[in-house]
Amino acid sequence: MKKMNFSRYVLYLGTVSLLAVSCGDGKYTPGDESNYLGVNVYFEETEPYRSLPLDVYEITFRLERDDAPREDENVPLHFSCAFPEAFDVPEYAFFPRGEMTSEVTIYFTDKIEDFKEYRLSLYVDEAYTQQYIQQTTYPRIDVTIVREDYEVLRTGRYICGAAALDLVDWGEDVISRTVDLEYSRTLDAYRIDPWGNGKYIRFTVDEDNEENGIAPLNLDARIYTTGDMYYSSEDGADVEVIATVSGTPTFENRRRTYTFPFTYGYPGKDAGDYNDTFSY
């Protein structure tokens, strides 16, 4: 594998982490009650997180409406993102005469950065929505997109200290689950989502310092939020479970095992140490 200078890699990932954004919360106000018998335009449901290949330069969303007027209709759209210069967004969704569906495509400009998350909000003008109608689809979508080339490399078993220490509940006496190890050729780096909440551990393998078939791992952080909540009787509230690196993470080729030594707990409290492992 092509090796990557780790100091540069950590700097890059640190930059990616800092740049991962929650783009502005565009305000949406439903239409007036007087529009109850009028037009109603809404988006088809979409995944809230979209991982796209590096060679993709656009993303398309579908819209629907409840009736089909006899004339063409341009429905105004509103867009919100902290980095609008990275996107070319149409101002209208076009519905041809008699058509119930439409599509709107957002194009990426040369300002978009790979391996950086963007949170987009796109919503229909309030004059084309209905406030007092029950429906399972909405005139607004909020989606996070990222262009990257991570692909599943291995599928294996992850044994988790948070479950073993009863900080998370995976089921009675269940402390392991099947997870995927992903690899990026561009970064020559790996990532794994052990807790199942999109909270990745990203790392490289330091093959230059391998000894007796065991190589150290270079992780992108020292403290990880797991995305799991634990009820603390001391605090009288739910608190987020965190994992703090407590030793040297390693990969042992003979056993096909990655080891992540963590101290699990929550803010202000350590629950215990555990060597998490991923084996395939």
Side-chain angles (χ1 to χ4, degrees):
M1 291 181 184
K2 176 184 175 183
K3 294 185 175 62
M4 187 175 185
N5 182 281
F6 179 63
S7 61
R8 290 172 57 198
Y9 169 72
V10 170
L11 177 60
Y12 182 87
L13 282 181
T15 303
V16 170
S17 178
L18 289 172
L19 289 174
V21 296
S22 175
C23 297
D25 292 329
K27 299 299 182 182
Y28 161 69
T29 304
D32 296 331
E33 184 176 12
S34 60
N35 189 38
Y36 180 77
L37 296 177
V39 66
N40 184 40
V41 179
Y42 46 89
F43 286 96
E44 289 189 0
E45 188 174 358
T46 187
E47 293 293 330
Y49 190 94
R50 302 283 290 274
S51 175
L52 306 173
L54 294 175
D55 58 354
V56 167
Y57 297 92
E58 63 187 56
I59 185 170
T60 298
F61 303 102
R62 290 178 57 85
L63 299 95
E64 297 183 12
R65 58 181 178 175
D66 284 347
D67 58 7
R70 295 181 179 179
E71 64 276 350
D72 294 344
E73 188 170 38
N74 285 307
V75 177
L77 300 173
H78 302 280
F79 176 73
S80 177
C81 180
F83 299 91
E85 68 277 5
F87 304 95
D88 185 5
V89 185
E91 297 181 358
Y92 299 90
F94 175 67
F95 284 87
R97 180 178 60 179
E99 293 293 330
M100 302 286 287
T101 62
S102 179
E103 291 185 345
V104 58
T105 299
I106 297 177
Y107 296 94
F108 308 154
T109 72
D110 58 2
K111 301 295 184 182
I112 198 167
E113 299 179 28
D114 297 333
F115 298 96
K116 172 179 174 179
E117 293 182 347
Y118 296 87
R119 187 167 187 263
L120 318 178
S121 295
L122 187 65
Y123 47 102
V124 176
D125 189 270
E126 64 178 36
Y128 293 80
T129 67
Q130 294 184 17
Q131 183 175 7
Y132 298 103
I133 186 172
Q134 290 186 346
Q135 58 188 59
T136 58
T137 51
Y138 300 95
R140 169 173 173 157
I141 52 173
D142 296 290
V143 60
T144 298
I145 67 167
V146 58
R147 292 202 317 183
E148 58 191 8
D149 68 342
Y150 279 103
E151 295 182 351
V152 175
L153 179 67
R154 309 282 188 193
T155 298
R157 203 74 182 165
Y158 191 96
I159 299 177
C160 178
L165 296 167
D166 294 326
L167 293 175
V168 301
D169 184 11
W170 287 357
E172 186 175 357
D173 298 326
V174 177
I175 64 171
S176 67
R177 60 167 41 160
T178 299
V179 301
D180 293 326
L181 176 68
E182 300 177 2
Y183 174 71
S184 164
R185 292 185 179 276
T186 300
L187 300 179
D188 188 19
Y190 304 83
R191 72 178 183 185
I192 193 170
D193 178 16
W195 306 290
N197 299 312
K199 306 293 186 179
Y200 288 98
I201 302 171
R202 295 178 171 87
F203 61 92
T204 59
V205 178
D206 187 1
E207 297 174 349
D208 292 337
N209 289 307
E210 178 181 333
E211 292 184 5
N212 300 319
I214 301 176
L217 307 180
N218 298 314
L219 273 57
D220 67 324
R222 191 180 69 86
I223 299 176
Y224 295 91
T225 57
T226 66
D228 287 299
M229 304 301 292
Y230 173 78
Y231 180 77
S232 168
S233 57
E234 298 175 2
D235 299 317
D238 288 329
V239 291
E240 186 167 24
V241 178
I242 58 176
T244 303
V245 179
S246 58
T248 301
T250 59
F251 171 63
E252 185 174 352
N253 186 52
R254 181 177 59 84
R255 296 177 56 225
R256 298 182 178 180
T257 299
Y258 296 84
T259 300
F260 305 94
F262 285 132
T263 297
Y264 278 100
Y266 46 89
K269 176 72 174 182
D270 290 342
D273 297 329
Y274 204 91
N275 285 335
D276 286 18
T277 59
F278 171 77
S279 302
Y280 62 89

